[in-house]
Each structure stands twice: as structure tokens, then as C-alpha cells.
């Protein structure tokens, strides 16, 4: 794909994710939320954090394209390295995990992750923008251009560290409010919850490996350490 075409695509993707993130953080309800709901706001939900992650990624990608177009290759090289690291370690695995985990749990029992009462608050298009469209965008990005993956150990350590930060954030919210971010967590004992988190991390790692596999199959081996 030509650089000008890539720049247009990345610009449009950035605008889209920024719009979706803005839309979900400005959803209006007829009744004001409780103080409990206000703690952490929308920032306690992985889906919302992922929207901002995608907006940042596509913003960085667009910047890299622009620098290449204006022949600022030295600056572009640094931005491209940041873009590839952001995509491989976070943007692809998190989007894939959000889409797979949400629709799996939604199919099993939607009340555990997305209560029916939300249908009157969040439009159907916004639900699919948050939980469905993120995966095709991630696949399209792999098809559009090659991304250099870091050494496996480095990539997984970075991914694990981010996962640890989010789990810590979820546990902190529970310690302050006495309520779980997702109703699903209330069903588990402490050991069961630990097993659930471990299983989720395994899925995220699988998503990372899946992205690396697709990138290698389409574009060949390309790594940086």
C-alpha cells in the first residue's frame, strides 16, 4: 500500500476511534450515576481504555506516514519503531482479546458483562464499534503493512506488565468501593478469580502470538530486539 494511501487510512482510523471514544465517554443517562459508578468513571473498563489505545496507535501511525511523505526519514524511523511496538504488544492483542472475550461472555450470559439495561443507554452501533469493529481494524492493519515484532521475551514481559497494571487497577477499585468493575467477578472465590485472571492472561498471550504469526505469514520474518 502506498504511503499516501496509508496516511489517509490511518488518519480516518484515528478520527473514527477518537469519535467512538468520545461518544462512549459522553453517553447521557436519564438518571445521574451513583457515586460508586463515578469512581474510576469510564476508565475502569478495558473496552474504553482500548478505544483510547487504538486512537493513540493510529495517531502515531499517521504521524509516521506524514514524516515519510515529507522525507523526514530519521524522525520517521523512531516513530515507526514506536508504532510497531505499540501495535504488536498492545493494539492487536488487546483488541482481539476485547472482541473475543466480550462476545463469548455475552453469548453465555450477557448480564455478566453487558446488562440488558445498557441497551437503552448505549446505541447498538456504539456497542459494535467498541466490541466488534476493533478486531477487523486490527486484522486490516496487519494486511496493510508489515510490523516489526520485538524479541518474544521482551514483548511478553511488556504485555504482562500492562496486564498486571490493569488487574491492579480493578482490584484497587474493588478495595475502595466494595464492588467489582464487572459483575462476573463477584461469582468467583479469591482462588477462582486468580485462576480467571491467569486464564485471561493466557488468552491475551495467545492473541499476541496470533498477531505475530499472521504478520510473519503475510510479510515474512521481521524482528527487532
Amino acid at each position: 500500500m502506498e504511503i499516501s494511501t496509508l496516511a489517509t487510512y490511518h488518519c480516518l482510523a484515528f478520527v473514527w476511534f477518537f469519535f467512538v471514544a468520545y461518544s462512549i465517554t459522553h453517553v447521557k443517562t436519564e438518571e445521574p450515576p451513583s457515586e460508586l459508578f463515578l469512581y474510576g468513571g469510564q476508565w475502569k473498563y478495558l473496552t474504553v481504555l482500548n478505544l483510547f489505545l487504538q486512537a493513540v496507535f493510529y495517531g502515531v501511525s499517521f504521524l509516521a506516514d506524514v514524516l515519510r511523505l515529507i522525507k523526514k526519514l530519521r524522525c520517521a524511523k523512531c516513530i515507526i519503531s514506536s508504532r510497531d511496538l505499540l501495535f504488536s504488544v498492545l493494539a492487536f492483542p488487546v483488541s482481539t482479546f476485547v472482541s473475543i472475550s466480550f462476545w463469548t461472555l455475552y453469548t453465555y450470559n450477557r448480564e455478566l458483562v453487558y446488562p440488558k439495561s445498557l441497551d437503552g443507554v448505549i446505541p447498538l452501533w456504539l456497542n459494535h464499534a467498541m466490541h466488534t469493529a476493533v478486531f477487523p481494524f486490527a486484522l486490516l492493519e496487519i494486511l496493510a503493512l508489515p510490523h516489526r515484532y520485538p524479541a518474544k521475551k521482551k514483548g511478553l514481559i511488556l504485555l504482562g506488565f500492562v496486564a498486571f497494571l490493569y488487574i491492579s487497577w480493578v482490584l484497587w477499585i474493588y478495595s475502595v468501593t466494595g464492588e467489582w468493575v464487572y459483575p462476573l467477578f463477584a461469582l468467583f472465590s479469591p482462588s477462582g478469580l486468580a485462576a480467571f485472571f491467569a486464564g485471561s492472561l493466557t488468552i491475551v498471550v495467545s492473541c499476541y502470538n496470533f498477531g505475530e504469526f499472521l504478520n510473519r505469514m503475510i510479510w515474512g520474518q521481521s524482528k527487532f530486539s
Side-chain angles (χ1 to χ4, degrees):
M1 190 179 292
E2 294 185 0
I3 300 178
S4 58
T5 305
L6 278 174
T8 300
Y9 164 65
H10 286 144
C11 180
L12 291 175
F14 166 75
V15 171
W16 166 251
F17 279 107
F18 185 86
F19 169 71
V20 174
Y22 177 85
S23 298
I24 190 60
T25 54
H26 288 77
V27 166
K28 297 185 181 299
T29 59
E30 294 181 358
E31 297 181 2
S34 65
E35 291 299 320
L36 177 63
F37 179 78
L38 288 176
Y39 190 88
Q42 303 275 12
W43 302 103
K44 55 177 170 275
Y45 299 111
L46 184 60
T47 295
V48 176
L49 293 173
N50 180 55
L51 292 175
F52 281 92
L53 167 64
Q54 300 306 315
V56 170
F57 165 71
Y58 283 106
V60 171
S61 298
F62 176 61
L63 176 60
D65 297 334
V66 170
L67 290 174
R68 291 173 67 193
L69 283 172
I70 63 177
K71 306 301 182 181
K72 298 290 185 179
L73 299 183
R74 181 175 298 180
C75 294
K77 184 177 180 180
C78 179
I79 300 298
I80 289 172
S81 294
S82 300
R83 178 203 68 191
D84 288 345
L85 188 63
L86 188 59
F87 178 77
S88 61
V89 174
L90 292 178
F92 183 88
V94 174
S95 282
T96 305
F97 175 77
V98 164
S99 187
I100 292 175
S101 61
F102 175 83
W103 288 113
T104 298
L105 292 171
Y106 184 97
T107 302
Y108 173 71
N109 184 355
R110 65 171 297 177
E111 295 298 319
L112 297 177
V113 290
Y114 195 83
K116 194 172 181 60
S117 59
L118 289 178
D119 289 345
V121 178
I122 300 177
L124 181 61
W125 74 265
L126 187 52
N127 180 22
H128 282 292
M130 294 188 297
H131 299 116
T132 307
V134 290
F135 182 54
F137 265 102
L139 289 179
L140 183 57
E141 179 65 22
I142 284 186
L143 293 173
L145 74 162
H147 296 83
R148 293 179 297 167
Y149 270 67
K152 180 63 70 70
K153 182 178 179 180
K154 177 182 178 180
L156 293 181
I157 288 176
L158 289 173
L159 178 59
F161 177 70
V162 174
F164 171 78
L165 289 179
Y166 180 68
I167 291 173
S168 298
W169 174 227
V170 169
L171 295 175
W172 172 257
I173 291 174
Y174 177 74
S175 71
V176 172
T177 66
E179 297 288 340
W180 289 109
V181 172
Y182 298 102
L184 170 69
F185 296 161
L187 301 178
F188 295 107
S189 64
S191 58
L193 188 61
F196 178 82
F197 285 146
S200 297
L201 182 58
T202 300
I203 295 174
V204 172
V205 170
S206 298
C207 293
Y208 174 94
N209 290 329
F210 178 57
E212 185 180 33
F213 170 77
L214 288 179
N215 187 75
R216 184 171 63 249
M217 287 294 95
I218 296 172
W219 301 103
Q221 192 78 2
S222 183
K223 293 188 175 184
F224 64 95
S225 58

